[in-house]
Structure formats: structure tokens, C-alpha cells
Amino acid sequence: MRLTLYTDYSLRVLVYLATKPKEELSNIKEIAEVYNISKNHLMKVTYELGKMNVIETIRGRNGGIRLALPPEEINIGNIVRKTEEDFHIVECFDQENNQCIISPVCGLKHVLNKALQAYLDVLDQYTLADLTKNQSALLDYFLMNK
């Protein structure tokens, strides 16, 4: 299983914001610098996370972003489901474009479907709080990369 960069960046933004004090605002520029990733990509990511009501965006001169929910309420499986375009790990998972001739009798798709479900079931067991239990270590790394 593989996540898109979009999902990876979404999770990174959430991890970063979870290490900040509740009321402190962050901005895309600082997050991009810490992770050494594109500000343009992060703008798209934060826009979508805002639409999902996971982060709060404050406009204006003193604006920024912060978590809209406590980390304990942000489920990782839910974030992955909402940020991934699809879970077509093999051609036959895409019913509209499937050209595989053995799809009607293939056992592989059932195995892969079970694996995908197990993957998502594991992600569902974790929250953002679980991923940021080592908050002080994360902060140290963020400070080293500013």
C-alpha cells in the first residue's frame, strides 16, 4: 500500500500543528521550511484540511492555521480516506476502467481487498494524539530544521 504525497503532506501538517500550543497560529511558510517541501503543495493541502474542518484558517495580517479539533478527535484512517483520490491498488479495483480479462474469476482482487481493509482498519485505531506522543522530540527536530 502506498500513500500519495498529498496524504503524506496532510499528515505532516497535522503532526506539526499538533505540537504547537492550542491557540498558537502557524503558517504555511514555516511548515514548508521545516519539512523542506513546496509552499504551493501545502496551500492546497491546508485548504482541503480546512474544508474538512480539521484545521482552522485565520485570514489577515496576523492570520495563520491551527488545529480545529483536539488531536484525540482526529482519526488517522479518516484523514487518509478523505485525502486519497482512490484505493485502486490494482486495475480491477477501478470498475470503470478495468480491462483485465480474468477479473470475473480472479482470486487476487479478493486477497488485495482484504489487505486494503486491514490496512485501513489499522489506521482507524490511531489518532493524531497517538502520533504526537513524542511531542518534545518532534519539536526538537522541527527547531533543528527551521
Side-chain angles (χ1 to χ4, degrees):
M1 311 284 154
R2 187 174 185 153
L3 297 176
T4 60
L5 277 177
Y6 187 85
T7 299
D8 180 17
Y9 291 173
S10 297
L11 293 170
R12 289 193 213 189
V13 166
L14 294 174
V15 165
Y16 185 84
L17 296 176
T19 64
K20 296 293 190 174
K22 183 180 176 183
E23 296 303 316
E24 185 177 325
L25 294 175
S26 297
N27 62 57
I28 292 168
K29 182 178 184 269
E30 76 185 70
I31 298 171
E33 288 173 359
V34 164
Y35 287 122
N36 194 27
I37 55 181
S38 163
K39 287 192 311 186
N40 289 336
H41 285 354
L42 288 183
M43 287 172 56
K44 295 173 191 171
V45 165
T46 57
Y47 175 75
E48 289 300 320
L49 290 172
K51 282 179 32 179
M52 292 169 27
N53 296 315
V54 177
I55 67 168
E56 180 181 12
T57 57
I58 293 91
R59 294 184 177 261
R61 185 166 191 210
N62 295 315
I65 57 175
R66 64 180 166 220
L67 292 178
L69 301 168
E72 301 80 26
E73 293 180 23
I74 300 174
N75 180 273
I76 301 306
N78 189 37
I79 297 298
V80 169
R81 281 182 184 85
K82 289 181 177 179
T83 56
E84 283 294 303
E85 285 183 22
D86 61 57
F87 290 97
H88 299 160
I89 57 176
V90 287
E91 182 180 341
C92 59
F93 279 34
D94 182 359
Q95 293 177 355
E96 289 180 22
N97 299 307
N98 182 20
Q99 299 295 313
C100 182
I101 62 168
I102 64 170
S103 287
V105 294
C106 181
L108 178 60
K109 67 182 175 186
H110 301 295
V111 172
L112 292 174
N113 194 41
K114 279 181 73 171
L116 175 61
Q117 191 55 53
Y119 175 72
L120 293 170
D121 288 345
V122 169
L123 294 175
D124 285 339
Q125 295 174 32
Y126 293 91
T127 67
L128 184 57
D130 296 319
L131 302 184
T132 56
K133 285 182 180 178
N134 60 339
Q135 187 173 9
S136 62
L138 286 166
L139 283 170
D140 289 344
Y141 275 88
F142 292 150
L143 290 173
M144 284 191 312
N145 289 303
K146 275 194 173 183

